[in-house]
Amino acid sequence: MADGKSNANEQNLFKMNVRRSPPIIVHPAGDIKAGGTYFLSNLDQNLPVIMKTIYCFPATDRRAVDKVVGEILRTSLEKVLVHFYPFDGRLAVNDEKKLVVRLNGGGVPFVEATADCELELLGDVSIPQPEKLGMLVYCPQRESIFEMPLLMVQVTKFKCGGFIVGMAMSHSLADGLSTVEFLHAWAETARGLPISLSPFLDRSILTARCPPKPQFPNPAFADLSGSLSSVAASPFPSLPILHRSFSFDPAKLSRLKLLATDAGDDRPLPSTFAALAGLVWRSRTIALNTPSADPAKLLFAVDGRKKLKPPLPGGFFGNGINFACCLCPAGEIIDRPLAHTVRMVQSAIWEVSDESIRSTIDYYEVTRAMPSLAGTLVLTDWTRLGFGATDFGWGCAAQTGPAELPGMEVALFLPPAKGAKTGTTVVLGLSPPAMSTFQEIMDF
């Protein structure tokens, strides 16, 4: 049996009650640019979703928790927002029909809360548990994205003395690396230290060329909905989604890389990401019973900061990622060896360049197209971002993870699960029948 961990049984054996205080609206504690708008690049336009993450800090004797954690985190947040002032605004649409940040001083909601249990009882938080972990992130519903705060923070204290920082952030403001750099700057401020990496806020360096010159095909934007059979368009429509995590220790990763290599191939073994991406895409396609003639698409973010010419400045705050894409008939990845799928992933990575990123920026300028998720798997790799290195003064986070996944189309690669020091954890959601098949494939 594969080693997948589920959120359906052992993760829900206890009930947790969380009591929230009314939110305090936090503003930058200093002079900032007020009024007008803040420019968002074309790489920011396709990501107006809210990402919800949690950071777990066990009880420690390094600093008292009960009375000061909320005050320290709130006052340090006020200070660090001076450097990250766009979070104080709200999304809006300009005359060019593009997203910008309206610098209206809307502020950042900050909530203190208490839980009636021990932090340890949460178990492994790498598995999304929206009903439970959602209580640890303050993110009230709004009628539109233009009313939604761009950053929301909740600090929840547990009976044991540990606490969790829950954060909801607009992806239009920051990709994974920028989110981590913001967290580290906030943590340094909480410890009374100067910020070691100041944010570079001028996103106009990613402005489209004039005139725009899109010169590469953009399969990421291909809408496959009209080409999918009814089975692929709505697999298991009435069944619930089961989230499960799969741990890949170094030994299993080594086996996977050998499986992902053709016999007699003298090229270097594939990277961990390429091997896992090929495995997950192929296995999920099989598990969903995707007809061979249906198109299958894989999207994954590639950091373009160093691929651009010149590279983006250190501390660039925004989305510096470009979506690499694999697109083919499902039968091409189902009927051929895993090595073929992995080579497709490798080729997509190699194709991300200064020219292709500039072409994507210009393509949006001309078309205003959004990536389509029909028939698509979106992979997000958080293994090297360093979320867990955040230290507000009580030591680094013992665990971090998503409070929820945006949908069944998304899978995450995370650092090792609780209790492990090396390896990679894969998290995704599928219907129970598809998950059963997926888990069988993972057993190798």
Side-chain angles (χ1 to χ4, degrees):
M1 194 68 172
D3 57 355
K5 297 179 182 179
S6 169
N7 67 344
N9 296 310
E10 67 271 17
Q11 294 292 322
N12 288 317
L13 293 177
F14 81 101
K15 292 184 178 180
M16 177 177 66
N17 295 308
V18 174
R19 178 177 295 181
R20 291 185 176 121
S21 65
I24 298 172
I25 304 302
V26 170
H27 300 282
D31 294 333
I32 62 167
K33 179 181 178 181
T37 59
Y38 172 75
F39 174 82
L40 297 179
S41 82
N42 287 355
L43 298 182
D44 302 314
Q45 301 295 317
N46 298 318
L47 298 163
V49 298
I50 298 292
M51 300 301 295
K52 302 176 184 178
T53 51
I54 62 172
Y55 309 86
C56 304
F57 299 90
T60 175
D61 58 4
R62 289 177 59 178
R63 294 168 84 173
V65 169
D66 287 345
K67 296 183 179 179
V68 301
V69 62
E71 180 181 354
I72 289 174
L73 294 186
R74 177 176 53 79
T75 56
S76 58
L77 178 60
E78 291 172 339
K79 293 175 182 177
V80 82
L81 284 177
V82 174
H83 304 275
F84 294 86
Y85 67 84
F87 281 129
D88 196 44
R90 298 291 184 267
L91 290 179
V93 175
N94 65 9
D95 293 339
E96 299 177 16
K97 306 301 181 185
K98 293 201 294 186
L99 291 175
V100 294
V101 175
R102 184 163 44 99
L103 299 174
N104 64 347
V108 174
F110 182 93
V111 172
E112 292 192 60
T114 56
D116 65 348
C117 64
E118 311 287 321
L119 179 57
E120 185 68 23
L121 289 178
L122 278 180
D124 184 358
V125 303
S126 68
I127 308 166
Q129 307 171 62
E131 300 82 5
K132 187 170 297 177
L133 301 184
M135 291 189 284
L136 304 171
V137 180
Y138 178 76
C139 188
Q141 294 296 318
R142 295 288 190 268
E143 290 188 5
S144 76
I145 62 172
F146 307 114
E147 299 175 2
M148 183 71 72
L150 302 177
L151 174 65
M152 292 161 277
V153 174
Q154 177 176 323
V155 179
T156 305
K157 291 176 282 189
F158 287 76
K159 292 174 66 177
C160 57
F163 67 96
I164 284 179
V165 175
M167 195 167 68
M169 180 186 290
S170 171
H171 209 323
S172 289
L173 267 287
D175 60 12
L177 182 57
S178 287
T179 300
V180 169
E181 290 175 351
F182 163 74
L183 277 167
H184 290 177
W186 179 15
E188 287 172 332
T189 304
R191 301 200 310 274
L193 301 174
I195 294 175
S196 58
L197 180 62
S198 296
F200 182 90
L201 296 176
D202 184 6
R203 305 185 189 200
S204 65
I205 57 176
L206 292 178
T207 301
R209 292 170 290 196
C210 186
K213 296 183 290 184
Q215 58 192 112
F216 291 90
N218 280 276
F221 296 89
D223 186 357
L224 308 181
S225 55
S227 304
L228 297 173
S229 65
S230 58
V231 173
S234 184
F236 311 108
S238 61
L239 296 178
I241 299 300
L242 174 67
H243 290 98
R244 194 176 292 271
S245 69
F246 297 85
S247 297
F248 290 81
D249 60 20
K252 190 165 186 175
L253 287 172
S254 295
R255 294 199 302 274
L256 171 61
K257 292 177 183 181
L258 290 174
L259 289 172
T261 306
D262 285 326
D265 191 342
D266 59 359
R267 288 176 292 186
L269 292 175
S271 67
T272 294
F273 175 83
L276 277 176
L279 174 70
V280 172
W281 185 32
R282 183 174 185 270
S283 303
R284 182 180 179 275
T285 304
I286 294 170
L288 291 174
N289 292 319
T290 309
S292 293
D294 278 12
K297 185 167 67 174
L298 173 69
L299 292 179
F300 56 92
V302 175
D303 187 6
R305 286 167 170 78
K306 295 182 179 179
K307 294 180 178 291
L308 286 163
K309 299 177 182 178
L312 293 181
F316 173 81
F317 179 63
N319 284 281
I321 57 175
N322 194 56
F323 282 110
C325 180
C326 302
L327 176 62
C328 67
E332 184 175 338
I333 56 178
I334 293 173
D335 300 332
R336 300 184 69 170
L338 173 61
H340 175 73
T341 307
V342 172
R343 284 197 298 272
M344 291 176 62
V345 173
Q346 291 174 310
S347 295
I349 295 172
W350 294 331
E351 288 170 1
V352 177
S353 63
D354 174 75
E355 293 83 0
S356 68
I357 297 171
R358 298 288 179 189
S359 181
T360 297
I361 292 171
D362 290 356
Y363 183 83
Y364 182 84
E365 191 72 14
V366 172
T367 66
R368 297 294 194 271
M370 304 283 280
S372 170
L373 297 185
T376 301
L377 171 64
V378 181
L379 287 178
T380 299
D381 185 3
W382 288 1
T383 57
R384 299 182 181 181
L385 291 179
F387 282 108
T390 303
D391 180 2
F392 291 101
W394 290 270
C396 292
Q399 289 194 85
T400 68
E404 65 181 26
L405 291 181
M408 198 176 77
E409 301 88 0
V410 178
L412 282 179
F413 293 173
L414 300 173
K418 183 180 180 182
K421 294 183 178 181
T422 56
T424 301
T425 298
V426 175
V427 181
L428 76 166
L430 289 168
S431 67
M435 185 61 79
S436 178
T437 301
F438 187 92
Q439 183 166 339
E440 290 178 5
I441 300 173
M442 293 298 103
D443 189 9
F444 60 86

